Amino acid sequence: MAPALTTGGSARGAVEDGAPAAAVRIDHVHKSFGRPGDRRSVPVLDDITLDVRPGEFVCLLGASGCGKSTLLNLVAGLDRPTAGTIEVPGGRPALMFQEHALFPWLTAGRNVELALRLRGLPREARRAEAERLLDLVRLGGAHRKRVHELSGGMRQRVALARALAQNSRVLLMDEPFAALDAITRDVLHHELTRIWSETSLSVLFVTHNVREAVRLGQRVVLLSSRPGRVAREWTVGLPQPRRIEDAAVADLSVEITEELRGEIRRHGRH
Amino acid sequence: MAGTETTPAPGTAEGDLAGLEAGLDALDAVQERRTPFGQVLLHKVLPPVTAVLLVLAVWKLLVVAGVTADYKLPDPSAVWHSLRGLWLDGTLLGIVWTSVSRGLLGFLAALAIGTPLGLLVARSAFVRAAIGPILSGLQSLPSVAWVPAAVIWLGITDSAMYAVILLGAVPSIANGLVSGIDQVPPLYLRAGRTMGATGARGAWHVLLPAALPGYIAGLKQGWAFSWRSLMAAELIASSPDLGLGLGQYLENARTDSDMPGVLLGILLILFVGIAIDLIVFSPLERRVLRSRGLAAAR
């Protein structure tokens, strides 16, 4: 089955003047593991073309084996594509993982300060900026807390503050809330959309949770599995802030879930 | 509005959420509790003291029962008198210090050599393949075995002592660092790289701090090896020119058939080994582990 793109490559809503039209440009990217030409090499991503416009919130959705995390690693520059190009004009993107990946030998505040330090911020400015970022994720009092003293939701908020500390134009998120309970996740969805709307951040958010994708994204891109291809995409026209239990969110989720199930079923027929 | 700038007023959607978030934070946050001093005394100090008293009681009992000749198993009080004698002579601290200063100096030298060596083995595949197995094998070689070689190469000198310490402690320290680095979760390194911590900055800000627990375990073992090696060297290669250390004291007591002195020597060596570990390495290790949430307050 050929990949069906419902919306074309035209950059709707993007700035038309000299500013870059894309915050992330993924152009005909292929990725396989193993040596090129080797018959055992496994294709993971097949001809992915996807743009994230400046300030846009895009959710990448797919079943396991669709290579969503691989794609994110490529965009983050942690790995190279086998073919095709990836451009991130705004410089190195920030990356948030499913595990908080905070450094346990540092306090919450120092974790944020380390990102600021690696960005080259002078010492005097770091402390105040870290305070500001922790305030932004509503953890103003947690500067001196150790990572193990924080709950799962608090750790992900510190991780978000640390990612924001990189001052990147693009934030990549790899199922960052998958390990949290429903209420905590709901709160973090709200915080993320709030922070996103207050900044000019572009977000590429990977998830396998359809409702989460519809709750958060302006656009939802469905990847097929083995190899990962862009199967279909939806523009979510609902205004923010949405709630995960909104009827409109539920309706679109049903439609997307049906499509995702179809993608998964295809693999059963081989 | 009225003085609530950080927390939005309750009742609004934003306020509800902030309240919910505060509630979640309060419910989920890990509560740490310090053990009261009395409990520490009861659970940490009382058991070893009881054990020591028990050993003394059994010892005294064996002496009173006359199990063996007096020159083989002297009364505990005879050992105490030897200790008192050394103290009143003013030689006790000198003897202990001679050995301890040698041990610590040797340990520091082993630290200075073992750390870069460990880094090299951990980071270079070639070096690891070349000397990694030898380095771990050396740990099972008793350092006493080096004493004859060291004496022939360097004579009965301080240098020979230090050589034996280094050969015992360097492999432990290097291996500790290697296993510490091997156990660093790859996630930390990936997180560091996305923040721009690559190369030397990555090593300094991410790799080394992440490897610290394994490194400290290696230091602890390195000290034990230093001390053991030194005692072996002092016992075998004793000479009046070298000054009187614990090993020589023990050897002198043996040639004098002074059994209380021999027992005192053994006890002092044991005591110093334990004391340095308790004063330096255990607190260091506990501190590092606890700050990372790795050691429950046992």
Side-chain angles (χ1 to χ4, degrees):
Chain A
M1 193 196 282
L5 277 138
T6 52
T7 49
S10 71
R12 283 173 301 107
V15 265
E16 298 294 332
D17 51 50
V24 178
R25 171 159 286 159
I26 302 168
D27 194 19
H28 297 289
V29 162
H30 294 257
K31 176 71 188 175
S32 33
F33 288 115
R35 288 181 188 193
D38 190 335
R39 228 187 301 152
R40 282 168 302 175
S41 94
V42 188
V44 180
L45 296 172
D46 183 28
D47 198 24
I48 303 267
T49 296
L50 177 72
D51 282 4
V52 179
R53 293 188 284 277
E56 195 183 17
F57 200 127
V58 176
C59 288
L60 265 181
L61 189 66
S64 42
C66 73
K68 347 179 248 269
S69 298
T70 307
L71 184 58
L72 225 50
N73 277 343
L74 295 178
V75 178
L78 293 175
D79 204 353
R80 288 160 169 277
T82 313
T85 55
I86 291 177
E87 284 174 53
V88 188
R92 189 179 44 231
L95 176 56
M96 241 183 103
F97 306 88
Q98 180 175 339
E99 304 87 8
H100 54 82
L102 295 173
F103 299 140
W105 56 90
L106 300 173
T107 60
R110 292 276 177 197
N111 264 285
V112 178
E113 283 179 36
L114 178 58
L116 297 169
R117 179 174 183 176
L118 291 167
R119 193 180 111 196
L121 217 65
R123 182 189 291 270
E124 317 80 63
R126 291 203 288 260
R127 176 79 200 214
E129 178 65 1
E131 292 286 1
R132 189 188 70 79
L133 288 164
L134 285 174
D135 273 341
L136 187 66
V137 296
R138 290 197 230 255
L139 281 172
H143 198 281
R144 298 167 66 109
K145 282 266 197 305
R146 292 274 169 185
V147 174
H148 70 272
E149 294 171 318
L150 303 173
S151 70
M154 292 161 94
R155 287 175 199 176
Q156 282 305 34
R157 273 145 67 203
V158 177
L160 179 58
R162 186 175 73 171
L164 294 172
Q166 285 178 248
N167 207 21
S168 307
R169 309 267 274 281
V170 177
L171 174 59
L172 308 172
M173 306 183 87
D174 191 357
E175 306 194 31
F177 309 141
L180 301 176
D181 66 274
I183 289 187
T184 305
R185 194 186 306 143
D186 203 32
V187 168
L188 281 161
H189 286 160
H190 186 92
E191 296 293 10
L192 179 60
T193 40
R194 177 178 62 81
I195 289 164
W196 168 73
S197 60
E198 285 170 6
T199 56
S200 57
L201 211 58
S202 316
V203 182
L204 186 56
F205 189 105
V206 159
T207 180
H208 60 253
N209 182 334
V210 178
R211 279 213 173 206
E212 180 172 62
V214 178
R215 159 74 180 83
L216 293 171
Q218 291 176 299
R219 208 149 45 103
V220 176
V221 177
L222 177 65
L223 292 183
S224 65
S225 295
R226 278 188 211 140
R229 293 193 181 104
V230 175
R232 215 181 135 178
E233 62 173 78
W234 290 264
T235 303
V236 187
L238 308 168
Q240 290 282 13
R242 303 164 197 155
R243 305 197 60 153
I244 203 151
E245 57 271 2
D246 285 346
V249 170
D251 289 347
L252 186 54
S253 299
V254 170
E255 184 190 328
I256 296 176
T257 305
E258 213 32 67
E259 194 80 20
L260 177 59
R261 284 185 177 162
E263 280 299 329
I264 295 170
R265 249 181 243 123
R266 277 194 319 120
H267 290 274
R269 294 197 201 116
H270 290 299
Chain B
M1 289 292 286
T4 50
E5 283 164 340
T6 46
T7 38
T12 63
E14 189 71 0
D16 284 348
L17 193 93
L20 182 60
E21 199 160 31
L24 283 170
D25 291 354
L27 284 174
D28 286 347
V30 181
Q31 301 292 326
E32 277 213 69
R33 201 169 53 88
R34 284 233 160 238
T35 355
F37 182 69
Q39 287 217 337
V40 172
L41 214 64
L42 196 67
H43 294 295
K44 292 261 174 80
V45 179
L46 191 63
V49 169
T50 314
V52 168
L53 288 178
L54 213 65
V55 168
L56 280 176
V58 171
W59 179 1
K60 181 78 189 173
L61 215 68
L62 290 176
V63 172
V64 171
V67 178
T68 181
D70 200 35
Y71 74 91
K72 281 186 185 164
L73 187 69
D75 195 88
S77 63
V79 178
W80 173 250
H81 281 303
S82 293
L83 180 67
R84 236 179 120 232
L86 280 184
W87 175 256
L88 293 177
D89 285 355
T91 47
L92 178 65
L93 291 181
I95 293 174
V96 171
W97 179 244
T98 302
S99 289
V100 167
S101 61
R102 261 184 206 148
L104 288 179
L105 209 64
F107 173 76
L108 290 179
L111 189 71
I113 298 170
T115 305
L117 186 64
L119 260 179
L120 202 65
V121 172
R123 299 306 279 170
S124 150
F126 182 82
V127 176
R128 178 183 293 230
I131 64 170
I134 302 173
L135 214 53
S136 7
L138 274 179
Q139 281 191 99
S140 52
L141 179 72
S143 33
V144 170
W146 290 109
V147 176
V151 167
I152 291 175
W153 288 331
L154 300 162
I156 298 183
T157 58
D158 269 335
S159 310
M161 306 269 168
Y162 288 123
V164 174
I165 294 180
L166 289 182
L167 287 162
V170 167
S172 290
I173 293 173
N175 273 313
L177 185 54
V178 170
S179 67
I181 288 176
D182 286 350
Q183 284 165 21
V184 171
L187 182 66
Y188 292 158
L189 303 178
R190 289 213 304 155
R193 267 161 66 203
T194 59
M195 292 194 290
T198 49
R201 297 212 297 174
W204 179 251
H205 288 298
V206 183
L207 188 71
L208 289 179
L212 195 59
Y215 182 53
I216 288 181
L219 294 189
K220 214 173 147 164
Q221 205 194 344
W223 162 251
F225 273 57
S226 295
W227 187 239
R228 270 194 241 175
S229 314
L230 177 64
M231 288 307 110
E234 283 189 354
L235 258 176
I236 298 177
S238 62
S239 138
D241 317 336
L242 286 179
L244 190 63
L246 278 170
Q248 286 99 329
Y249 172 78
L250 186 55
E251 177 62 11
N252 292 348
R254 183 190 69 81
T255 43
D256 295 348
S257 297
D258 169 17
M259 193 58 196
V262 167
L263 286 174
L264 178 62
I266 294 172
L267 289 175
L268 282 176
I269 292 169
L270 180 69
F271 177 77
V272 170
I274 293 175
I276 299 275
D277 188 72
L278 279 182
I279 293 168
V280 182
F281 295 100
S282 290
L284 190 67
E285 189 174 42
R286 204 164 41 236
R287 212 190 127 125
V288 166
L289 292 183
R290 187 172 277 169
S291 76
R292 297 171 189 222
L294 291 174
R298 269 172 293 169

